[in-house]
Amino acid sequence: MSAQIPAVRSTEQLREKWMKPEVISGSEILLRSLLLEGVECVFGYPGGAVLYIYDALYGFTDFHHLLTRHEQGAIHAADGYARASGKVGVCIATSGPGATNTVTGIATAYMDSVPLVVITGNVVSSLIGTDAFQEADITGITMPITKHSYLVRSVEELPRIIHEAFHIANTGRKGPVLIDIPKDVSANKALFEPVQSVNLRGYHPTVVPNRLQLDKLAAAIQEAERPVILAGGGVVYSGGHEALLEFVNRTEIPITTTLLGLGGFPSGHELWMGMPGMHGTYTANQSIQQADLLISIGARFDDRVTGRLDGFAPHAKIAHIDIDPAEIGKNIATDIPIVGDVKTVLEMLNPLVGRAAKADAWRANVQESKAKYPFRYKDSDTVLKPQWVIEHLNETTRGEAIVTTDVGQHQMWTAQYYKFNQPRSWITSGGLGTMGFGFPSAIGAQMAHPDRLVISINGDGGMQMCAQELAICAINNIPVKIVVINNQVLGMVRQWQELIYDNRYSHIDLAGSPDFVKLADAYGVKGLRATNKEEAKQAWKEAMETPGPVLVEFVVEKGENVYPMVPQGSTIDQMLMGDDES
């Protein structure tokens, strides 16, 4: 792709060029500080309050800046970059509406513990609080959805703030940090002296767990007859996937991975039971409900996993491993709390554990259930089924692509039918459920991994929320393969209205959506359409063989539902298995 990320300079080169003390503007301090934090790519959209920053970016080539077509596209792209790379994502927006356009993306990252540094401009310091043109109290607006935020008062404190922001975003439970820079601060000059240390009073995340708690868990594993592991996104974010695999192989405990935990454990492993929760597997849900020991690793017991809280894992002793002590005991009472970094905890725990010797009958029961209750759907030779489309994508890519999704039925079908074996290969909005996230996050993932296949799977609703970012794919030749699962309806809302609201279909018809092939063509992106299996196979083959971005619209069955489904207010073993099954 032509928008290649510049090669990262060596530490010595950076020190030589950027670390010598020099009197420069706040904007130049910002750029140098970002480089010293290892930033390779920034996503942004200019405006009046950040013009000094963008003036400093003129002719700047030491990291790549990608001009998106909307601030929401910028922050979702930064989010996708962070999830795919494990690095801190960075975006820039101007004051007022530019800053407020990032709010949904900040909340998305906050809910899913994604490290971002969001840089916004503000009006000059003397006008703050006067309702000046394009003024908004973005630090106040985002206080509940940021890990921390800064309003920069002077140019002298800018190097310290930037260094602290990256440290906070990428340590402990990761999350977004906002830096609001008034226009005069970005213009004023000061002696730039890089900050290399951090001393934040009261901020010392616990990484190393209490050894006594590890011993308790090891003992509980030896006594358990029906143990289950519930692994979440914390496994991926901590880089603990290899330690988790070792833990499972040592203990031989059946494992289920949450929506955000997909890819944190290989889907082909015989002890993997699939995803739990509202649209999870029969085996995962039933096993949790029957377990006598449930070990949660980097998962926060979200309501879409637990179902009705008072009926969740009713027979189990609960062990909860998490970097955030606030999560332990928040939703589910915990018997063995273990606070620490998931990777560190598992590496310390592994030498202490052995095979769960009392669980042989349990393991056999799990294998029998997996064979008896796989995901299933009614295939068709006349209409295109969305589940078949996802299966075809999985088969043709051998499960090796980075896949991003928007939110809705297509998201759940992808989670069910695409088989992830590598961490950071699955990017989706879990906690907030943000429509419009899927496509721009794929752009960020592609910028993080220029040489990997990135597939963005979207519904016809969410695709229209950030479709303008087709422009930057075309201009920069960013080779994302864009899939639109078009059922001409807000599918998940339709499903709920069918099953829960007695077929009262209220305001869900998307039949007036644009011709997605023509829309892609208007932006300079190749567009293809398929309405049956043969067309689908040919269109996807052409997309895979075409350099650069391609949009493929799959016109699918309008009335297809996602099964299994746990109705809201039910326990997770009370599952609707399908149209013709109880």
Side-chain angles (χ1 to χ4, degrees), residues 33 42 62 99 130 146 159 163 171 174 180 199 205 267 269 300 334 344 346 491 518 520 570-571:
S33 297
V42 172
D62 288 302
T130 68
T146 51
H163 191 55
T171 55
K174 302 178 182 184
D180 196 32
N199 184 19
S267 63
H269 197 287
R300 61 184 180 86
T334 302
T344 303
L346 290 174
K518 289 182 179 179
S570 302
T571 57

Side-chain angles (χ1 to χ4, degrees), residues 93-245:
T94 193
S95 65
T100 57
N101 278 343
T102 68
V103 169
T104 297
I106 293 172
T108 300
Y110 182 77
M111 289 285 281
D112 289 351
S113 305
V114 178
L116 296 183
V117 169
V118 182
I119 299 162
T120 56
N122 209 331
V123 299
V124 297
S125 300
S126 61
L127 290 180
I128 290 177
T130 68
D131 294 331
F133 176 69
Q134 289 194 333
E135 181 192 359
D137 178 12
I138 194 61
T139 55
I141 290 168
T142 60
M143 187 173 294
I145 54 170
T146 51
K147 192 175 177 185
H148 193 63
S149 60
Y150 294 92
L151 173 59
V152 185
R153 299 290 184 176
S154 68
V155 65
E156 288 80 9
E157 64 181 356
L158 197 51
R160 172 186 61 81
I161 286 175
I162 294 168
H163 191 55
E164 288 179 0
F166 275 81
H167 175 75
I168 294 169
N170 209 28
T171 55
R173 180 175 180 172
K174 302 178 182 184
V177 177
L178 184 135
I179 305 174
D180 196 32
I181 306 176
K183 190 171 184 179
D184 54 309
V185 172
S186 65
N188 293 341
K189 292 188 176 183
L191 177 65
F192 172 57
E193 294 182 291
V195 176
Q196 296 178 275
S197 61
V198 174
N199 184 19
L200 294 169
R201 186 174 64 182
Y203 181 72
H204 302 287
T206 299
V207 174
V208 180
N210 184 303
R211 172 59 190 266
L212 292 177
Q213 297 301 97
L214 298 184
D215 291 337
K216 287 181 183 179
L217 178 54
I221 289 170
Q222 289 306 306
E223 293 302 316
E225 296 181 0
R226 300 183 306 280
V228 169
I229 296 168
L230 172 67
V235 172
V236 176
Y237 299 151
S238 72
H241 53 283
E242 292 180 351
L244 175 63
L245 179 59

